[in-house]
Amino acid sequence: MVAQIINGNEVAKSIRAELKEEIAGMKMSGVTPGLVVIIVGEDPASQVYVRKKGEACVELGIDSETIRLPAETTEQELLDLIEKYNNDKKFDGILVQLPLPKHINEQNVLLRIDPSKDVDGFHPVNVGKMVVGAEDCYLPCTPHGIQELLVRSGNDPKGKHVVVIGRSNIVGKPITNILLQKAPGADATVTICHSRTQNMSGFTKQADILIAAIGVPNFVKADMVREGVVVIDVGVNRINDPTAKNGTRLVGDVDFESVKEKAKAITPVPGGVGPMTITMLMKNTVKAAKIHHNLKK
Ligand code: GUN
């Protein structure tokens, strides 16, 4: 079987084109969406993500500000800053880049963000709304991007058996909840596996759609999937590769070369799920601006 390679860059590009047009229309009614991104410390991967978020805002016409704080910032200082932006009408969305330095309690920080500005979808109010399928919530960006990738690549999950590997709050748990909703682009039967699951292959072989988000390089091998599976690889793992220019390369959680021989469709790493995450953040920021200004959906 020659697998369809699901191109995240292409899908992200078409969503961004839609958003650009929508934002231009909002500006005609005097509304410019605004996003503030806060990063604490010097984590190199986080620095790259934050830079890309700022660039995406510029590309689409969203007002943005990036606040870079030193690693020694106290939890109280961060909470006070969030409070300031909760009360600043110029900003519709507030994003605090994770992970935070160890001395700062992540839950305290996420709880302080006004749920109507929580464009990451991590506040318990938005998590709860997602679980009950409420319209006015912000879905977390990576799982929402996965749903868009499936639908827009012609692999609608309706009625399919989706097997998720990984139970994180950022990907595994939310994608499970999103795809089991009684709603367009969902309506799937979902099984969730994790690091303590016994006989993992027994589950993964039953998948019509397999979503790998376990954080182990090349974890899913060809003998763990059935012919015709659709594979979404959420992993971003840097491994040593003496043949690469800088001695390393990025791989996913799926052994792409072998699994693609059996798959109907598969996402590459990089260029699959990755480009969707920031695009869905832009979409949530636009949604927040509409909510704050009572514009129609
Ligand atoms: N770090 C890794 N992924 C994410 C994300 O989706 N949002 C935030 N805020 N931090 C992250």
Side-chain angles (χ1 to χ4, degrees):
M1 182 173 283
V2 178
Q4 167 198 8
I5 308 296
I6 301 176
N7 187 331
N9 286 314
E10 285 295 316
V11 177
K13 200 165 137 191
S14 64
I15 297 175
R16 286 190 190 199
E18 292 164 17
L19 286 173
K20 205 167 172 175
E21 203 168 302
E22 209 174 349
I23 292 164
M26 291 167 79
K27 286 188 175 180
M28 306 260 250
S29 3
V31 174
T32 301
L35 174 70
V36 60
V37 177
I38 302 171
I39 177 167
V40 186
E42 304 293 331
D43 179 69
S46 293
Q47 294 284 347
V48 173
Y49 292 137
V50 163
R51 180 170 50 76
K52 287 189 172 174
K53 286 168 187 174
E55 287 168 1
C57 286
V58 171
E59 178 196 335
L60 299 189
I62 292 174
D63 278 345
S64 82
E65 206 167 296
T66 301
I67 312 290
R68 292 187 166 79
L69 300 174
E72 318 73 73
T73 303
T74 66
E75 184 174 314
Q76 193 56 49
E77 283 167 338
L78 180 57
L79 294 176
D80 290 346
L81 188 68
I82 292 169
E83 199 55 48
K84 174 180 151 215
Y85 285 107
N86 279 343
N87 295 314
D88 186 340
K89 288 198 167 19
K90 194 164 153 326
F91 294 100
D92 299 291
I94 302 171
L95 181 139
V96 178
Q97 186 65 30
L98 303 177
L100 288 165
K102 291 211 174 359
H103 65 277
I104 299 180
N105 181 308
E106 192 176 292
Q107 277 307 315
N108 290 346
V109 169
L110 297 179
L111 270 172
R112 184 58 63 94
I113 298 172
D114 176 343
S116 91
K117 295 193 174 190
D118 168 38
V119 286
D120 249 335
F122 293 161
H123 190 288
V125 165
N126 283 311
V127 175
K129 286 183 175 184
M130 171 189 68
V131 172
V132 298
E135 273 281 298
D136 65 337
C137 77
Y138 303 109
L139 295 177
C141 302
T142 301
H144 194 194
I146 293 170
Q147 183 185 35
E148 287 287 337
L149 263 188
L150 286 169
V151 172
R152 291 180 185 240
S153 65
N155 296 293
D156 195 315
K158 183 176 181 173
K160 304 291 186 197
H161 184 194
V162 176
V163 177
V164 178
I165 314 176
R167 56 179 157 180
S168 70
N169 289 337
I170 294 186
V171 183
K173 286 181 201 163
I175 193 62
T176 300
N177 280 287
I178 289 169
L179 295 184
L180 64 74
Q181 292 300 323
K182 187 172 186 174
D187 281 325
T189 302
V190 189
T191 299
I192 185 161
C193 301
H194 49 77
S195 53
R196 300 288 181 271
T197 297
Q198 293 181 8
N199 185 22
M200 177 94 71
S201 291
F203 294 99
T204 56
K205 277 183 189 156
Q206 293 177 41
D208 299 311
I209 298 173
L210 182 65
I211 300 176
I214 198 169
V216 178
N218 299 320
F219 177 81
V220 176
K221 307 282 190 223
D223 63 1
M224 293 172 69
V225 302
R226 65 169 188 78
E227 286 281 340
V229 66
V230 173
V231 180
I232 303 290
D233 189 350
V234 191
V236 184
N237 310 292
R238 190 163 284 285
I239 61 164
N240 291 330
D241 178 359
T243 67
K245 211 163 71 183
N246 66 352
T248 67
R249 77 187 154 96
L250 283 184
V251 297
D253 291 352
V254 176
D255 183 23
F256 181 83
E257 289 307 322
S258 70
V259 173
K260 85 174 192 313
E261 298 302 318
K262 286 174 93 174
K264 169 173 171 265
I266 186 167
T267 59
V269 176
V273 174
M276 296 297 292
T277 299
I278 293 177
T279 302
M280 302 319 286
L281 173 67
M282 301 295 110
K283 201 170 168 78
N284 277 350
T285 305
V286 170
K287 183 172 185 176
K290 285 184 189 165
I291 291 172
H292 293 143
H293 295 276
N294 288 315
L295 301 178
K296 67 177 173 31
K297 277 194 281 169

